[in-house]
Coordinates of all heavy atoms in Angstrom, one line a residue:
H1 N 43.3 -25.5 -8.7 CA 42.1 -25.7 -9.5 C 42.3 -26.8 -10.5 O 43.4 -26.9 -11.1 CB 41.7 -24.4 -10.2 CG 41.1 -23.4 -9.3 ND1 41.2 -22.0 -9.4 CD2 40.3 -23.5 -8.2 CE1 40.6 -21.4 -8.5 NE2 40.0 -22.3 -7.7
T2 N 41.3 -27.6 -10.7 CA 41.5 -28.8 -11.6 C 42.1 -28.4 -13.0 O 43.1 -29.1 -13.4 CB 40.2 -29.5 -11.8 OG1 39.7 -29.9 -10.5 CG2 40.3 -30.8 -12.6
P3 N 41.6 -27.5 -13.7 CA 42.3 -27.2 -15.0 C 43.7 -26.8 -14.9 O 44.6 -27.2 -15.7 CB 41.4 -26.0 -15.6 CG 40.1 -26.1 -14.9 CD 40.4 -26.6 -13.5
A4 N 44.1 -26.1 -13.8 CA 45.5 -25.7 -13.6 C 46.3 -26.9 -13.3 O 47.5 -27.0 -13.7 CB 45.5 -24.6 -12.4
V5 N 45.8 -27.8 -12.5 CA 46.6 -29.0 -12.2 C 46.8 -29.8 -13.5 O 47.9 -30.3 -13.7 CB 45.8 -29.9 -11.1 CG1 46.5 -31.2 -11.0 CG2 45.8 -29.1 -9.8
L6 N 45.7 -30.0 -14.3 CA 45.8 -30.8 -15.5 C 46.9 -30.2 -16.5 O 47.6 -31.0 -17.0 CB 44.5 -30.8 -16.2 CG 43.4 -31.8 -15.5 CD1 42.1 -31.6 -16.2 CD2 43.9 -33.2 -15.6
I7 N 46.9 -28.9 -16.6 CA 47.8 -28.3 -17.6 C 49.3 -28.5 -17.3 O 50.1 -28.4 -18.1 CB 47.4 -26.8 -18.0 CG1 48.0 -26.5 -19.3 CG2 47.9 -25.9 -16.9 CD1 47.4 -25.3 -20.0
T8 N 49.5 -28.7 -16.0 CA 50.9 -28.8 -15.6 C 51.4 -30.3 -15.6 O 52.6 -30.5 -15.3 CB 51.1 -28.3 -14.2 OG1 50.3 -29.0 -13.3 CG2 50.8 -26.8 -14.1
R9 N 50.6 -31.2 -16.0 CA 51.0 -32.6 -16.0 C 50.8 -33.3 -17.4 O 49.7 -33.2 -18.0 CB 50.1 -33.4 -15.0 CG 50.2 -32.8 -13.7 CD 49.9 -33.8 -12.6 NE 50.3 -33.3 -11.3 CZ 49.4 -33.2 -10.3 NH1 48.2 -33.6 -10.4 NH2 49.9 -32.8 -9.2
G10 N 51.8 -34.0 -17.9 CA 51.6 -34.7 -19.1 C 51.8 -33.9 -20.4 O 52.1 -32.7 -20.3
R11 N 51.5 -34.6 -21.5 CA 51.7 -33.9 -22.8 C 50.6 -32.9 -22.9 O 49.4 -33.1 -22.7 CB 51.5 -35.0 -23.9 CG 52.7 -35.9 -24.0 CD 52.6 -36.9 -25.1 NE 51.9 -36.3 -26.3 CZ 51.5 -37.0 -27.3 NH1 51.7 -38.3 -27.4 NH2 50.9 -36.4 -28.3
I12 N 51.0 -31.7 -23.4 CA 50.1 -30.5 -23.5 C 48.9 -30.8 -24.3 O 47.8 -30.4 -23.9 CB 50.9 -29.3 -23.9 CG1 50.0 -28.0 -23.8 CG2 51.4 -29.4 -25.4 CD1 49.9 -27.5 -22.4
D13 N 49.0 -31.5 -25.5 CA 47.9 -31.7 -26.3 C 46.9 -32.6 -25.6 O 45.7 -32.4 -25.7 CB 48.3 -32.3 -27.7 CG 49.1 -33.6 -27.6 OD1 49.8 -33.8 -26.5 OD2 49.1 -34.4 -28.5
Q14 N 47.3 -33.6 -24.9 CA 46.4 -34.5 -24.2 C 45.7 -33.7 -23.0 O 44.6 -33.9 -22.7 CB 47.1 -35.7 -23.6 CG 47.6 -36.6 -24.7 CD 48.4 -37.8 -24.2 OE1 48.9 -37.8 -23.0 NE2 48.7 -38.8 -25.0
Q15 N 46.5 -32.9 -22.3 CA 46.0 -32.2 -21.2 C 44.9 -31.1 -21.6 O 43.9 -30.9 -20.9 CB 47.1 -31.5 -20.4 CG 48.1 -32.5 -19.8 CD 47.4 -33.7 -19.1 OE1 47.2 -34.7 -19.6 NE2 47.1 -33.4 -17.8
L16 N 45.2 -30.5 -22.7 CA 44.2 -29.5 -23.3 C 42.9 -30.2 -23.5 O 41.8 -29.7 -23.2 CB 44.8 -28.8 -24.5 CG 45.9 -27.9 -24.3 CD1 46.5 -27.5 -25.6 CD2 45.5 -26.7 -23.5
G17 N 42.9 -31.4 -24.1 CA 41.7 -32.2 -24.3 C 41.0 -32.5 -23.1 O 39.8 -32.5 -23.0
K18 N 41.8 -32.9 -22.0 CA 41.1 -33.2 -20.7 C 40.5 -32.0 -20.1 O 39.4 -32.1 -19.5 CB 42.2 -33.8 -19.8 CG 42.7 -35.2 -20.1 CD 43.8 -35.6 -19.2 CE 44.3 -37.0 -19.6 NZ 45.4 -37.4 -18.7
I19 N 41.1 -30.9 -20.2 CA 40.6 -29.6 -19.7 C 39.3 -29.3 -20.4 O 38.3 -28.9 -19.8 CB 41.6 -28.5 -19.8 CG1 42.8 -28.7 -18.9 CG2 41.0 -27.1 -19.5 CD1 44.0 -27.9 -19.2
A20 N 39.3 -29.4 -21.7 CA 38.1 -29.1 -22.5 C 36.9 -30.1 -22.2 O 35.8 -29.8 -22.3 CB 38.4 -29.2 -24.0
A21 N 37.3 -31.3 -21.7 CA 36.2 -32.3 -21.4 C 35.7 -32.2 -20.0 O 34.8 -33.0 -19.6 CB 36.8 -33.7 -21.6
L22 N 36.2 -31.3 -19.1 CA 35.7 -31.2 -17.8 C 34.2 -30.8 -17.8 O 33.8 -30.0 -18.7 CB 36.5 -30.2 -17.0 CG 37.9 -30.6 -16.6 CD1 38.6 -29.4 -16.0 CD2 37.9 -31.8 -15.7
T23 N 33.4 -31.5 -17.0 CA 31.9 -31.2 -17.1 C 31.2 -30.4 -16.0 O 30.3 -29.7 -16.3 CB 31.2 -32.6 -17.2 OG1 31.5 -33.4 -16.1 CG2 31.5 -33.3 -18.5
P24 N 31.7 -30.3 -14.8 CA 31.0 -29.5 -13.8 C 31.0 -28.0 -14.3 O 32.0 -27.6 -14.8 CB 31.8 -29.6 -12.5 CG 32.5 -30.9 -12.7 CD 32.8 -31.1 -14.1
H25 N 29.9 -27.3 -14.1 CA 29.8 -25.9 -14.6 C 30.9 -25.0 -14.1 O 31.5 -24.3 -14.9 CB 28.4 -25.3 -14.1 CG 28.2 -23.9 -14.6 ND1 28.0 -23.6 -15.9 CD2 28.3 -22.8 -13.9 CE1 27.9 -22.3 -16.1 NE2 28.1 -21.8 -14.9
D26 N 31.3 -25.1 -12.8 CA 32.3 -24.2 -12.4 C 33.7 -24.6 -13.0 O 34.5 -23.7 -13.2 CB 32.4 -24.1 -10.8 CG 32.7 -25.5 -10.2 OD1 32.3 -26.5 -10.7 OD2 33.4 -25.5 -9.2
E27 N 33.9 -25.8 -13.3 CA 35.1 -26.3 -13.9 C 35.2 -25.8 -15.4 O 36.2 -25.5 -15.9 CB 35.3 -27.8 -13.8 CG 35.5 -28.3 -12.4 CD 36.7 -27.8 -11.7 OE1 37.7 -27.3 -12.3 OE2 36.7 -27.9 -10.4
R28 N 34.0 -25.8 -16.0 CA 33.9 -25.3 -17.4 C 34.3 -23.9 -17.5 O 35.0 -23.4 -18.4 CB 32.6 -25.6 -18.0 CG 32.4 -27.0 -18.3 CD 31.0 -27.3 -19.0 NE 31.1 -28.6 -19.4 CZ 31.0 -29.0 -20.7 NH1 30.8 -28.1 -21.6 NH2 31.1 -30.3 -21.0
L29 N 33.8 -23.1 -16.5 CA 34.2 -21.6 -16.5 C 35.7 -21.5 -16.3 O 36.3 -20.6 -17.0 CB 33.4 -20.9 -15.5 CG 31.9 -20.7 -15.7 CD1 31.2 -20.0 -14.5 CD2 31.7 -19.8 -17.0
K30 N 36.3 -22.2 -15.4 CA 37.7 -22.1 -15.2 C 38.5 -22.6 -16.4 O 39.5 -22.0 -16.8 CB 38.1 -23.0 -14.0 CG 37.6 -22.5 -12.7 CD 37.9 -23.4 -11.5 CE 37.1 -23.1 -10.3 NZ 37.1 -24.2 -9.3
S31 N 38.0 -23.7 -17.0 CA 38.6 -24.2 -18.3 C 38.5 -23.2 -19.4 O 39.5 -23.0 -20.1 CB 37.9 -25.5 -18.7 OG 38.0 -26.5 -17.8
F32 N 37.4 -22.5 -19.5 CA 37.3 -21.5 -20.5 C 38.3 -20.4 -20.3 O 39.0 -20.0 -21.2 CB 35.8 -20.9 -20.5 CG 35.6 -19.8 -21.5 CD1 35.5 -20.1 -22.8 CD2 35.5 -18.5 -21.1 CE1 35.2 -19.1 -23.8 CE2 35.2 -17.4 -22.0 CZ 35.1 -17.7 -23.3
R33 N 38.4 -19.9 -19.1 CA 39.4 -18.8 -18.8 C 40.8 -19.3 -19.0 O 41.6 -18.5 -19.6 CB 39.2 -18.3 -17.3 CG 37.9 -17.6 -17.2 CD 37.6 -17.1 -15.7 NE 38.7 -17.0 -14.8 CZ 38.6 -17.4 -13.6 NH1 37.5 -17.9 -13.1 NH2 39.6 -17.3 -12.8
L34 N 41.1 -20.5 -18.6 CA 42.5 -21.0 -18.8 C 42.8 -21.2 -20.3 O 43.9 -20.8 -20.7 CB 42.6 -22.3 -18.0 CG 44.0 -22.9 -18.1 CD1 45.1 -22.0 -17.6 CD2 44.1 -24.3 -17.4
L35 N 41.9 -21.8 -21.0 CA 42.2 -22.1 -22.5 C 42.3 -20.7 -23.2 O 43.1 -20.7 -24.1 CB 41.1 -23.0 -23.1 CG 41.1 -24.4 -22.6 CD1 39.9 -25.2 -23.1 CD2 42.4 -25.1 -22.9
I36 N 41.5 -19.7 -22.9 CA 41.7 -18.4 -23.5 C 43.1 -17.9 -23.2 O 43.8 -17.4 -24.1 CB 40.6 -17.4 -23.0 CG1 39.3 -17.8 -23.6 CG2 41.0 -16.0 -23.4 CD1 39.1 -17.5 -25.1

């Protein structure tokens, strides 16, 4: 899943920002669950 891929690559602070910026609705739900 896109948020899971993002969090495993690069600097964590940058990746968290990228995860928060995902726009498709289903990706936002996954992002929400992952960030929690």
Side-chain angles (χ1 to χ4, degrees):
H1 285 145
T2 303
V5 170
L6 287 172
I7 201 158
T8 60
R9 302 204 170 125
R11 289 183 35 188
I12 189 78
D13 57 334
Q14 292 174 348
Q15 298 312 94
L16 291 169
K18 289 177 185 178
I19 292 165
L22 292 172
T23 55
H25 180 72
D26 63 323
E27 295 299 341
R28 285 184 171 241
L29 288 175
K30 292 172 193 166
S31 296
F32 179 74
R33 291 178 18 222
L34 181 60
L35 292 173
I36 290 289

